Amino acid sequence: MRYWDEHMECMERGTLQEIQLKRLVETVKRVYTSVPYYRKKMQELGLIPEDVKDLSDLQKLPFTTKQDLRDNYPYGLFAVPLSEIVRIHASSGTTGKPTVVGYTKHDIGIWSEVMARTLVAAGADKHSFVQIAYGYGLFTGGLGVHYGAERIGASVIPISSGNTKRQIQLMVDFGTTLLACTPSYALYLAETMEEMGIDKSQLKLKSGVFGAEPWSENMRKEIESKLNIKAYDIYGLSEIIGPGVAFECEYQCGMHINEDHFLPEIINPETGEVLGEGEYGELVFTTITKEGLPLIRYRTRDITALHYDRCKCGRTLVRMEKVIGRTDDMIIIRGVNVFPSQIESVLLEMGEVEPHYQLIVDRVNNLDVLEVLVEVSERMFSDEVKKLEQLEKKITKAIEDTLGISVKVRLVEPKTIERSEGKAKRVIDKRKI
């Protein structure tokens, strides 16, 4: 079995819960004392830190949202003097002010540690060559993976995102064994390799850690067959720490959450009520070891479920299922909740189309309409029109059966849907609501 810290990763749940409670109590005291925003929120609820005596008391505490981070921009939620902050990252802030996250030296150490666990679980060791094609800079992806790879003694190739042909050339020349990037970019790399006439047998790649956007099991199979690797899902978000919040082991039956640092809950996104094991809802995290930006009950907007039984790999860390969508990228069409990942699964099962698609939502005569643009393969596109019409009908029926609503499917030429070197833009919502 592959562990970085077997003691923590395989600890008996009772002992782990004792550690979690001690750390939770310390964190609540710290934010109450050092963060005026949290002190005010707790006072409004009639709470003092001493009210947290048990892990179940977590439910009493207030939620934190992305909007709270923006309202306290830039440093209002930091719990230490700025002189102790050694690194600042920020989200892209496409919808308003960016969310700013600060790290102390201690926090950077934790981040390296959880990423070391993540990479070791994906087969990395000190002999690995880790090519990091996540963006560097204010985005947490690149540097997060970087420090974890250095922690385990691997050789880091810090190429960052973009420059796709050069990525592939260096992969061949440098003998990259592990690739870290978004899943949609991994497919784009595979596509570009074919165009360059480079066969996957020329690569030394063994595995990849892919995250930062939802992706389906079918997309995993596609990446694995095109790059001849084992593809691992990783989960993280800047506000909590960056990549390294959760990771898959070789059994890939959910992602192990590093819950000695990040305490998870699943809630009903409408009511805020805490849900039980195996129930789908919104994932919420409380950081219990972070100094710079400790967050209490942070609402991720990601929809998943948790499983607490011991994994076949021996880890006792709770497993989260693949994120099936977000409460905010979920699109509601005629009262039906639609996640892009549902459509992706249907398309990849078809086989005759490329895994590139886009959903266009509009409102026509007061009725929501969903159009799905789907790229067909070169081979299919050169076929006669009748075959394409049959394929369009077949895809339409499969999507309608899955979603339970009518959709319009439009097949488009290969490479007409814009490619992304970061997160793929799957949904265009034209409705004026």
Side-chain angles (χ1 to χ4, degrees), residues 43 52 91 141 338 390 400 407 423:
Q43 285 170 346
V52 178
S91 74
V338 174
Q390 285 170 346
E400 288 181 347
V407 298
K423 300 186 188 188

Side-chain angles (χ1 to χ4, degrees), residues 22-85:
K22 181 173 177 286
R23 290 175 172 180
L24 174 64
V25 167
E26 286 166 2
T27 298
V28 172
K29 278 181 187 160
R30 193 161 68 250
V31 298
Y32 190 86
T33 310
S34 308
V35 186
Y37 167 80
Y38 278 123
R39 186 162 57 250
K40 182 169 176 282
K41 289 268 276 202
M42 284 176 68
Q43 285 170 346
E44 283 169 2
L45 293 168
L47 290 173
I48 55 171
E50 288 69 28
D51 291 330
V52 178
K53 303 183 182 78
D54 189 84
L55 285 176
S56 62
D57 292 331
L58 183 59
Q59 298 182 30
K60 298 174 183 173
L61 295 170
F63 290 114
T64 312
T65 65
K66 202 177 202 71
Q67 192 55 48
D68 295 326
L69 287 168
R70 290 192 175 124
D71 291 346
N72 288 277
Y73 176 89
Y75 308 135
L77 293 184
F78 287 13
V80 296
L82 288 173
S83 57
E84 289 183 37
I85 296 290

Side-chain angles (χ1 to χ4, degrees), residues 243-297:
V245 174
F247 61 91
E248 279 187 323
C249 63
E250 65 263 44
Y251 290 99
Q252 300 185 323
C253 49
M255 286 175 280
H256 293 281
I257 294 173
N258 286 303
E259 57 174 320
D260 51 326
H261 298 288
F262 319 112
L263 204 51
E265 301 171 273
I266 295 289
I267 63 162
N268 177 323
E270 308 295 322
T271 64
E273 170 208 357
V274 175
L275 301 177
E277 180 175 357
E279 290 188 76
Y280 280 95
E282 182 182 342
L283 182 59
V284 170
F285 279 113
T286 299
T287 65
I288 52 175
T289 52
K290 265 175 79 185
E291 293 177 343
L293 182 70
L295 292 180
I296 304 292
R297 303 194 82 197

Side-chain angles (χ1 to χ4, degrees), residues 347 353 372-376 380-381 387-393 395 409-413 416:
L347 296 177
V353 292
V372 184
L373 305 189
V374 184
E375 270 188 29
V376 288
M380 277 302 295
F381 203 76
K387 276 192 181 166
L388 287 174
E389 284 173 353
Q390 285 170 346
L391 179 61
E392 210 166 76
K393 279 183 188 157
I395 294 172
V409 171
R410 183 151 56 93
L411 300 182
V412 297
E413 285 184 58
T416 47

Side-chain angles (χ1 to χ4, degrees), residues 16-287:
L16 175 59
Q17 286 175 335
E18 284 171 24
I19 292 170
Q20 287 174 330
L21 179 59
K22 181 173 177 286
R23 290 175 172 180
L24 174 64
V25 167
E26 286 166 2
T27 298
V28 172
K29 278 181 187 160
R30 193 161 68 250
V31 298
Y32 190 86
T33 310
S34 308
V35 186
Y37 167 80
Y38 278 123
R39 186 162 57 250
K40 182 169 176 282
K41 289 268 276 202
M42 284 176 68
Q43 285 170 346
E44 283 169 2
L45 293 168
L47 290 173
I48 55 171
E50 288 69 28
D51 291 330
V52 178
K53 303 183 182 78
D54 189 84
L55 285 176
S56 62
D57 292 331
L58 183 59
Q59 298 182 30
K60 298 174 183 173
L61 295 170
F63 290 114
T64 312
T65 65
K66 202 177 202 71
Q67 192 55 48
D68 295 326
L69 287 168
R70 290 192 175 124
D71 291 346
N72 288 277
Y73 176 89
Y75 308 135
L77 293 184
F78 287 13
V80 296
L82 288 173
S83 57
E84 289 183 37
I85 296 290
V86 299
R87 174 106 61 83
I88 292 170
H89 282 283
S91 74
S92 51
T94 46
T95 50
K97 285 178 179 167
T99 49
V100 178
V101 287
Y103 301 77
T104 64
K105 193 174 178 184
H106 164 84
D107 296 337
I108 296 288
I110 287 171
W111 197 5
S112 308
E113 191 64 23
V114 293
M115 272 313 303
R117 293 180 191 178
T118 300
L119 292 168
V120 167
D125 57 25
K126 66 178 183 179
H127 304 292
S128 301
F129 285 79
V130 177
Q131 184 156 328
I132 303 170
Y134 282 115
Y136 278 69
L138 288 176
F139 172 65
T140 51
L143 282 164
V145 180
H146 185 117
Y147 275 67
E150 285 188 347
R151 175 67 68 102
I152 65 174
S155 303
V156 179
I157 305 167
I159 190 164
S160 193
S161 57
N163 217 335
T164 306
K165 288 185 175 170
R166 186 159 171 258
Q167 294 263 9
I168 292 160
Q169 197 55 58
L170 293 189
M171 229 182 267
V172 175
D173 296 348
F174 290 5
T176 302
T177 57
L178 186 144
L179 173 65
C181 62
T182 61
S184 51
Y185 190 53
L187 277 180
Y188 185 46
L189 282 166
E191 204 174 72
T192 310
M193 260 172 55
E194 283 173 31
E195 286 169 14
M196 290 169 72
I198 290 175
D199 189 76
K200 57 189 175 187
S201 63
Q202 292 172 253
L203 302 178
K204 290 188 177 169
L205 271 185
K206 294 176 184 166
S207 60
V209 291
F210 307 113
E213 62 187 13
W215 51 305
S216 61
E217 281 303 317
N218 287 320
M219 195 168 178
R220 188 206 300 270
K221 286 177 198 150
E222 189 93 10
I223 291 168
E224 289 185 335
S225 84
K226 286 189 169 178
L227 290 175
N228 196 28
I229 59 171
K230 190 164 169 84
Y232 291 83
D233 200 355
I234 63 170
Y235 177 85
L237 59 165
S238 301
E239 300 91 319
I240 300 304
I241 203 147
V245 174
F247 61 91
E248 279 187 323
C249 63
E250 65 263 44
Y251 290 99
Q252 300 185 323
C253 49
M255 286 175 280
H256 293 281
I257 294 173
N258 286 303
E259 57 174 320
D260 51 326
H261 298 288
F262 319 112
L263 204 51
E265 301 171 273
I266 295 289
I267 63 162
N268 177 323
E270 308 295 322
T271 64
E273 170 208 357
V274 175
L275 301 177
E277 180 175 357
E279 290 188 76
Y280 280 95
E282 182 182 342
L283 182 59
V284 170
F285 279 113
T286 299
T287 65

